[in-house]
Amino acid sequence: MDAATRQKTVVVGAGPVGSLAALYAAQRGHEVEVYELRNDLRDPLTTPLNFTKSINLALSTRGITALENSGAPTLLDQVVDATIPMRGRMIHGVRPTGELYEEHQQYDAHGRTIFAIDRAGLNGRLLDLLETLPNVTIFYNHKMTGADFRRRKAWFEVQAGPQVKNAPRERLPEVEIDFDFLIGADGAHSSVRHHLMKYVMMDYQQHYVDTLWCEFRIRARATEDVASDDKDAAFRAKFAISPNHLHIWPGKDFMFIAIPSCDGSFTCTLFMPASEFADLEASQDDGMTLPAFFDRHFPGVTELISPADLVDSFRRNPHLPLISIKCSPHHYQASVVIVGDAAHAMVPFYGQGMNAGLEDVRVLFALLDKHAQADSNSPFGDDDMVSAEAHRALALAEYSALRVPDAHAINDLALHNYTEMRASVLSPIYRLRKYLEEQLSVHAPWLGWATKYSRVSFGNERYSEVVRQSEFQGRILLGGLIGAASVPIVTGLVFLLMHRRSLANFGSSVFRHAGYIGAWAANGFKR
């Protein structure tokens, strides 16, 4: 198939999700064009859209499965080689005696791990791979300004770099493109979604959580004293704390986390209500308030990050909001679909934002393949573009029907997990349920029992089904605990009912003798 007859697929957004979508399309022989608002994302001078480094990502089974099915045989190995396995959470706190402690909580009773990964590194590998493909073209510094999804046209403004301060803004050149199919992967503030709303009756919900986040960093340690021939020891020596955990300093209303990076450092994030940030911002003149705040709420952090670095990061790095977005549907006819944050931006507390977006791509192309196969098997031999469009429309309709409830489910799970991470990890009830579910998973695998976290992170089960199964298991466990607690009470009642006559006679005897004793006492205990 030559370029003139290939399907032209346009991807808006060159982040990890958009890049993977472009790769999937290219592997199917499409003529692919990728349009990115920013400069080349591999350039360290490129400013991210939120003006700071992204929160370090956690790659789990859903994302791994999507990379594995990309059609690029070496991609997954290259990505995993640049990750750090995290076995569980490490909870940090202080005992009443003032002693600092660390408590490990494993993610999975079967020993499975999630993987800490650098967003820029993953993005760079995908872009490097796309550049080797002859049917992919990437356009940087192109801002989507308009779209006609009925006529399948889009318009992009070609960015000319930063404007000179106070200088009149010149009109930037604009290009018009045609496409057969457009995939919007342009993030939470998606231009594709904005234009899609003009063509479908979209239900849309945007919610800002009353929590801001700010980034900090634990520096890597010097390793001069470690023998160079012991690579594992040299690697581990770079880290100030365990590299195989997500570290959490929980608080009632806020928390501090640290995720390892391959260079030995940790990317750290403070999550806290906006009012608390405002109070700290107002009291930073002396440079002493913030370290004292950390010592009070996140004991041990000032031994890992110097007070000067804490203050510098707090002042220099922005204090950014967290947004949760739900919308429905995710497509329009056969021409456009939105994936990743463009369709379901979520808070980062389940580590599923990127994984859900990569899974979107896998599910989308699996459905496109299914309906294309139905087209090729048609007894009428109708392979023209009209037939292809009709089957693509069916695939996109099925995609929205499947992914909308799943996207809503993981958005809600991510919000609820914030409470778990900052508070529930210390709750005896949370620990009891986790323990019981893990024991059932290990010792009675035929029951199909699993924790909610393991279903989300270590499988490809639909998110909406995970919620349904978790709620079912919760009802079973609650019923069992109530039943177990009620056994002594029921046993006692049965005993009383079975022996009520004997107990009645015993009671009468007691009261009769009590009367004798009372009369005797009234008579001065005289015979």
Side-chain angles (χ1 to χ4, degrees):
M1 183 184 293
D2 60 32
T5 58
R6 285 174 178 166
Q7 173 179 307
K8 182 178 178 180
T9 296
V10 166
V11 179
V12 182
V17 174
S19 296
L20 186 67
L23 178 58
Y24 267 70
Q27 296 287 9
R28 285 155 178 78
H30 301 185
E31 191 67 25
V32 181
E33 293 181 356
V34 181
Y35 291 84
E36 169 57 45
L37 171 62
R38 297 161 288 181
N39 190 21
D40 189 333
L41 302 177
R42 292 163 293 185
D43 184 344
L45 298 179
T46 298
T47 303
L49 289 178
N50 57 12
F51 308 106
T52 186
K53 286 179 61 179
S54 170
I55 299 171
N56 265 24
L57 303 176
L59 181 66
S60 59
T61 296
R62 295 171 195 273
I64 290 171
T65 304
L67 294 171
E68 194 173 29
N69 284 271
S70 67
T74 63
L75 174 61
L76 181 59
D77 288 340
Q78 291 175 355
V79 169
V80 172
D81 284 347
T83 65
I84 299 176
M86 295 189 294
R87 297 190 299 268
R89 299 165 175 161
M90 187 70 79
I91 310 302
H92 294 255
V94 61
R95 304 190 190 283
T97 60
E99 177 190 5
L100 298 178
Y101 72 84
E102 296 179 347
E103 179 186 285
H104 165 68
Q105 292 183 1
Q106 66 179 4
Y107 282 135
D108 180 59
H110 300 279
R112 293 171 291 188
T113 66
I114 62 175
F115 299 87
I117 186 169
D118 175 65
R119 179 190 179 94
L122 171 62
N123 212 160
R125 283 174 175 79
L126 287 166
L127 291 172
D128 289 343
L129 181 56
L130 288 177
E131 284 189 343
T132 68
L133 303 178
N135 56 329
V136 177
T137 307
I138 305 174
F139 299 88
Y140 296 105
N141 299 307
H142 278 62
K143 178 182 179 180
M144 187 178 191
T145 55
D148 185 335
F149 293 137
R150 291 191 183 92
R151 295 192 298 147
R152 296 194 179 93
K153 292 181 179 292
W155 292 267
F156 292 87
E157 185 179 79
V158 182
Q159 304 290 289
Q163 294 289 312
V164 177
K165 187 177 181 180
N166 298 326
R169 177 181 172 85
E170 296 181 4
R171 181 173 178 80
L172 298 175
E174 191 173 67
V175 295
E176 177 184 294
I177 65 165
D178 299 296
F179 59 85
D180 297 310
F181 180 39
L182 186 144
I183 301 173
D186 50 341
H189 303 288
S190 168
S191 293
V192 177
R193 185 185 65 236
H194 170 74
H195 293 292
L196 179 59
M197 288 179 175
K198 303 171 187 176
Y199 292 86
V200 298
M201 293 186 291
M202 179 181 286
D203 292 325
Y204 176 77
Q205 177 185 338
Q206 174 179 299
H207 173 60
Y208 278 100
V209 183
D210 183 26
T211 296
L212 302 179
W213 65 277
C214 179
E215 186 177 286
F216 298 82
R217 186 167 178 262
I218 298 174
R219 299 176 185 271
R221 283 180 168 174
T223 57
E224 292 86 354
D225 297 333
V226 180
S228 58
D229 57 341
D230 190 342
K231 293 183 178 180
D232 183 64
F235 175 77
R236 299 186 69 82
K238 296 189 297 182
F239 297 90
I241 47 180
S242 167
N244 299 120
H245 292 87
L246 167 66
H247 295 264
I248 302 177
W249 284 260
K252 183 179 179 182
D253 297 314
F254 36 72
M255 70 175 179
F256 189 77
I257 68 170
I259 300 177
S261 299
C262 288
D263 64 358
S265 67
F266 286 80
T267 299
C268 307
T269 312
L270 171 63
F271 297 99
M272 195 165 61
S275 60
E276 296 282 352
F277 268 105
D279 290 343
L280 283 176
E281 288 166 359
S283 60
Q284 281 310 298
D285 293 339
D286 59 3
M288 300 296 293
T289 304
L290 187 70
F293 176 87
F294 268 77
D295 285 337
R296 183 165 66 253
H297 295 286
F298 312 121
V301 169
T302 53
E303 296 180 13
L304 302 169
I305 307 175
S306 71
D309 282 350
L310 274 177
V311 173
D312 179 62
S313 295
F314 186 83
R315 289 174 174 170
R316 179 168 40 85
N317 293 337
H319 306 156
L320 297 169
L322 295 172
I323 191 171
S324 178
I325 290 175
K326 297 178 182 178
C327 66
S328 174
H330 291 171
H331 79 289
Y332 171 68
Q333 295 183 359
S335 63
V336 60
V337 68
I338 50 176
V339 295
D341 283 354
H344 48 69
M346 67 190 72
V347 295
F349 303 118
Y350 227 116
Q352 285 295 302
M354 177 192 66
N355 291 285
L358 299 180
E359 185 178 60
D360 286 344
V361 174
R362 178 182 65 81
V363 173
L364 171 64
F365 279 89
L367 292 173
L368 290 169
D369 290 345
K370 183 182 80 170
H371 287 273
Q373 184 65 29
D375 183 37
S376 66
N377 289 336
S378 169
F380 305 106
D382 185 9
D383 291 327
D384 62 18
M385 289 301 293
V386 174
S387 176
E389 289 174 14
H391 283 271
R392 188 165 64 243
L394 290 174
L396 296 188
E398 185 176 351
Y399 175 81
S400 273
L402 281 172
R403 291 306 281 176
V404 165
D406 289 343
H408 290 186
I410 187 56
N411 272 41
D412 291 339
L413 286 174
L415 282 168
H416 296 158
N417 209 47
Y418 182 36
T419 302
E420 178 176 313
M421 291 177 72
R422 63 184 167 84
S424 298
V425 289
L426 302 176
S427 164
I429 296 176
Y430 165 82
R431 296 184 187 188
L432 175 61
R433 174 170 177 172
K434 184 175 185 291
Y435 173 79
L436 291 174
E437 290 186 326
E438 287 177 342
Q439 293 305 305
L440 287 169
S441 173
V442 172
H443 300 294
W446 60 88
L447 293 176
W449 209 280
T451 65
K452 181 167 58 181
Y453 187 90
S454 66
R455 289 182 186 276
V456 167
S457 297
F458 303 118
N460 294 303
E461 188 176 7
R462 291 184 61 188
Y463 290 118
S464 54
E465 180 62 18
V466 169
V467 172
R468 192 187 70 79
Q469 288 286 352
S470 180
E471 289 175 348
F472 172 74
Q473 290 180 185
R475 289 193 298 269
I476 295 295
L477 284 176
L478 179 61
L481 290 172
I482 292 174
S486 63
V487 166
I489 299 173
V490 172
T491 302
L493 289 173
V494 170
F495 177 83
L496 290 173
L497 290 172
M498 291 178 63
H499 299 83
R500 62 184 182 276
R501 180 171 298 176
S502 298
L503 288 170
N505 293 336
F506 174 75
S508 298
S509 176
V510 169
F511 284 124
R512 187 168 60 251
H513 284 86
Y516 294 154
I517 293 170
W520 182 28
N523 198 35
F525 298 102
K526 296 178 180 178
R527 293 186 178 275

